[in-house]
């Protein structure tokens, strides 16, 4: 349990299993196994444990000043991504990414309790890698903007991609759902993140394709159809164009 009156830290809460839910500002969230929540210091929250089962997970408290370190400047995490104050970001980890994230947290735990040379640099590097895995934005060069309205719009666009990218791959759908023009959506994304709107959609599609091909037993055909591609041939063409590799090559790499 934590209280915003006592703690001035961001909290990363990874619930692995054995938990009934998490209560955040009087709202209860259930079905949270293997989910990561990113909690702003303004939130009061409490993990609701089951009485009869073992439970496991991690809570990482991050002092606010740490996120001002230059290593995090391109992640934009306090603006439109992980620690946004208007919504509570929740990420469900795929099996392969789960193993990587657990390894990162175990290394962090080990480093924090040692006095190794260059310990602080290693901790910051691991935190950066953790955020990249969770946010899935490895290649974005972010530019901080003072325009909160545009930042909020881009955040809504990103959340909509997360929810709908398996069905909709075109910028027009997302612009219409946000009641703006394609041109204005591109303008906002370009100003806030330094890329265009289609690049965000493509980045999410490529990331999900890689995860499914590497960490599941689904056929290439199944992966393509589940991600909204009309045929296996088009799925292969798309990945070859975006990554230089075919689905089979990605699976073997």
């Amino acid at each position: 349990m934590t209280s915003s009156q006592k703690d001035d830290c961001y909290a990363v809460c990874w619930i692995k299993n054995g938990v009934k839910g998490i209560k955040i500002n009087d709202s209860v969230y259930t079905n949270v196994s293997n989910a990561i929540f990113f909690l702003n210091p303004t939130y009061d929250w409490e993990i609701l444990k089951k009485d009869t089962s073992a439970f496991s997970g991690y809570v990482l408290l991050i002092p606010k000043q740490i996120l001002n370190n230059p290593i995090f400047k391109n992640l934009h995490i306090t603006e439109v991504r992980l620690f946004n104050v208007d919504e509570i970001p929740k990420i469900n980890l795929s099996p392969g990414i789960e193993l990587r994230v657990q390894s990162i947290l175990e290394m962090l735990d080990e480093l924090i309790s040692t006095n190794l040379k260059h310990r602080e640099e290693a901790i910051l590097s691991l935190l950066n890698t953790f955020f990249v895995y969770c946010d899935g934005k490895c290649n974005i060069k972010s530019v901080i903007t003072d325009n909160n309205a545009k930042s909020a719009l881009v955040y809504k666009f990103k959340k909509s991609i997360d929810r709908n990218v398996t069905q909709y791959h075109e910028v027009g759908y997302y612009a219409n759902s946000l009641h703006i023009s394609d041109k204005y959506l591109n303008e906002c994304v370009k100003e806030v993140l330094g890329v265009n709107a289609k690049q965000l959609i493509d980045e999410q599609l490529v990331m999900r394709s890689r995860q499914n091909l590497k960490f599941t037993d689904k056929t290439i055909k199944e992966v393509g159809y589940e991600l909204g591609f009309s045929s296996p041939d088009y799925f292969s063409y798309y990945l070859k164009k975006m990554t230089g590799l075919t689905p089979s090559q990605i699976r073997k790499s």
Side-chain angles (χ1 to χ4, degrees):
M1 175 188 305
T2 189
S3 168
S4 59
Q5 284 75 31
K6 298 177 183 176
D7 220 333
D8 196 28
C9 292
Y10 292 105
V12 178
C13 181
W14 178 16
I15 300 170
K16 294 191 68 178
N17 52 52
V19 170
K20 181 165 47 176
I22 183 170
K23 184 178 180 181
I24 305 172
N25 287 353
D26 297 322
S27 296
V28 176
Y29 300 82
T30 57
N31 300 317
V32 295
S33 293
N34 205 30
I36 295 180
F37 289 84
F38 296 87
L39 304 168
N40 193 279
T42 60
Y43 297 139
D44 293 321
W45 58 274
E46 176 185 1
I47 295 172
L48 307 175
K49 297 179 289 188
K50 296 178 181 178
D51 296 330
T52 57
S53 63
F55 59 94
S56 63
Y58 293 84
V59 175
L60 179 65
L61 297 178
I62 306 172
K64 292 178 73 173
Q65 65 269 22
I66 288 180
L67 297 183
N68 294 327
N69 190 284
I71 195 172
F72 303 122
K73 67 179 181 180
N74 288 335
L75 289 181
H76 220 211
I77 50 183
T78 60
E79 291 292 315
V80 296
R81 297 203 184 160
L82 300 180
F83 294 115
N84 186 277
V85 295
D86 297 323
E87 295 188 45
I88 301 170
K90 171 192 170 189
I91 294 176
N92 290 99
L93 299 177
S94 66
I97 298 300
E98 176 190 355
L99 294 175
R100 285 161 169 74
V101 166
Q102 178 155 335
S103 295
I104 291 169
L105 292 174
E106 287 174 351
M107 285 188 284
L108 276 170
D109 188 39
E110 181 180 342
L111 278 167
I112 288 168
S113 62
T114 68
N115 291 310
L116 292 173
K117 191 176 181 180
H118 304 301
R119 163 180 169 269
E120 291 188 5
E121 292 95 327
I123 288 171
L124 289 171
S125 179
L126 284 169
L127 271 177
N128 186 59
T129 303
F130 171 75
F131 286 135
V132 167
Y133 266 120
C134 289
D135 199 27
K137 301 301 175 195
C138 306
N139 301 314
I140 288 180
K141 298 296 182 184
S142 299
V143 177
I144 300 298
T145 176
D146 293 327
N147 190 328
N148 291 330
K150 289 185 177 180
S151 292
L153 181 66
V154 173
Y155 183 76
K156 290 178 182 179
F157 174 48
K158 177 184 174 293
K159 294 295 289 183
S160 185
I161 294 173
D162 291 341
R163 290 191 300 266
N164 300 299
V165 74
T166 57
Q167 292 179 279
Y168 302 103
H169 301 174
E170 300 304 320
V171 173
Y173 166 81
Y174 298 96
N176 288 336
S177 68
L178 293 168
H179 309 293
I180 57 175
S181 68
D182 296 20
K183 182 180 179 181
Y184 184 66
L185 179 57
N186 267 310
E187 177 187 314
C188 292
V189 175
K190 186 72 174 177
E191 182 175 326
V192 173
L193 297 178
V195 297
N196 63 45
K198 187 65 167 71
Q199 282 175 275
L200 286 190
I201 298 169
D202 288 334
E203 188 178 65
Q204 188 67 222
L205 282 171
V206 169
M207 182 181 71
R208 294 195 186 195
S209 298
R210 286 183 179 276
Q211 288 177 354
N212 278 282
L213 291 168
K214 283 179 168 290
F215 306 122
T216 74
D217 295 325
K218 296 173 184 175
T219 65
I220 292 171
K221 181 178 180 181
E222 288 172 331
V223 173
Y225 282 139
E226 286 182 10
L227 290 175
F229 290 91
S230 57
S231 71
D233 287 343
Y234 182 60
F235 180 50
S236 295
Y237 166 79
Y238 175 83
L239 281 184
K240 181 73 173 178
K241 177 183 175 184
M242 298 303 301
T243 69
L245 299 173
T246 65
S248 297
Q249 290 171 325
I250 290 174
R251 172 156 275 173
K252 292 175 183 176
S253 64

